[in-house]
Amino acid sequence: MITLPDLPYAIDALEPALSAKTLGFHHGKHHSAYVANLNKLIDGTDLASKSLEDIILQTVNEPGKAAIFNNAAQIWNHTFYWHSMKPEGGGLPTGQLLKKINADFGSTDSCVEKLKNAALTQFGSGWAWLVVKNDKLEVIKTANADTPLAHGLKPLLAVDVWEHAYYLDFQNARGSYLDAFFKNLVNWDFGQSNLA
Ligand code: MN3
């Protein structure tokens, strides 16, 4: 039995960059629906007693398990995404994360540019991620529910680019949502804590 985690801040805490209406639908309807769907799918199976991470790792690329994987991965991705933002976020990373970004991308601007580009060029629904791969920072994108967790990568930050993440506030302007995300919302401290 998997439960829906609370948002790590108030529903209106990301305004004006992201509205309470967007967070209300995104957390209260979309994220919540993935939890309800997953619990229905695993009820009475041996997955019912497993952690969310174990469910993801045990169903990735398993024939007949795509619906379970998709719902489980979306639950995990969304929880990670909520923490990838914070009220009055943005600014610059600090500490070890800043050092690593400078070493692997040259500058924070270049890292953000790569993240925005990955997010913009993800065709259809999906995610852009800052991850650690073989001890180096990389930017990747994943389609639909796919998650770095299922590929042995260590995620540091996530950007949801499903239309439901931004449509109420930005309509089809994914680029404007991404500008707001990196200017006002991104939680570099969360990235740093995942790196540590
Ligand atoms: Mn979403």
Side-chain angles (χ1 to χ4, degrees):
M1 178 86 177
I2 301 297
T3 53
L4 176 69
D6 290 334
L7 286 172
Y9 31 70
I11 196 105
D12 60 355
L14 302 184
E15 290 192 342
L18 273 187
S19 67
K21 191 174 180 188
T22 286
L23 261 63
F25 275 93
H26 201 174
H27 178 260
K29 303 288 183 191
H30 292 278
H31 196 177
S32 173
Y34 296 128
V35 173
N37 290 340
L38 179 65
N39 283 327
K40 248 182 246 163
L41 288 164
I42 62 175
D43 184 41
T45 76
D46 59 348
L47 291 172
S49 59
K50 304 284 186 194
S51 70
L52 189 58
E53 287 80 1
D54 282 345
I55 294 170
I56 291 168
L57 294 173
Q58 289 180 23
T59 57
V60 60
N61 298 328
E62 280 295 314
K65 299 280 172 67
I68 296 177
F69 173 82
N70 285 337
N71 283 284
Q74 280 295 79
I75 296 167
W76 194 92
N77 289 348
H78 280 87
T79 302
F80 197 86
Y81 168 68
W82 304 131
H83 288 274
S84 296
M85 303 185 285
K86 67 174 184 181
E88 296 176 52
L92 291 171
T94 57
Q96 194 56 32
L97 180 60
L98 179 61
K99 277 188 201 150
K100 201 79 185 108
I101 283 175
N102 286 339
D104 295 340
F105 297 103
S107 67
T108 302
D109 280 354
S110 163
C111 174
V112 167
E113 212 44 53
K114 283 195 164 64
L115 279 162
K116 278 186 182 173
N117 188 55
L120 267 176
T121 57
Q122 171 54 38
F123 185 79
S125 296
W127 300 81
W129 304 85
L130 181 62
V131 302
V132 181
K133 182 181 182 182
N134 301 327
D135 216 34
K136 275 199 81 165
L137 298 187
E138 277 191 26
V139 167
I140 64 163
K141 52 189 173 182
T142 60
N144 300 315
D146 199 13
T147 180
L149 199 65
H151 304 287
L153 303 172
K154 183 183 185 179
L156 303 185
L157 290 169
V159 189
D160 190 344
V161 291
W162 285 57
E163 275 190 348
H164 67 226
Y166 57 88
Y167 207 86
L168 293 175
D169 290 327
F170 298 96
Q171 292 73 55
N172 62 328
R174 189 186 286 188
S176 301
Y177 157 65
L178 296 170
D179 288 345
F181 183 95
F182 287 101
K183 184 163 183 271
N184 305 116
L185 299 172
V186 64
N187 183 357
W188 293 113
D189 294 339
F190 180 61
Q192 163 73 30
S193 69
N194 290 316
L195 181 66

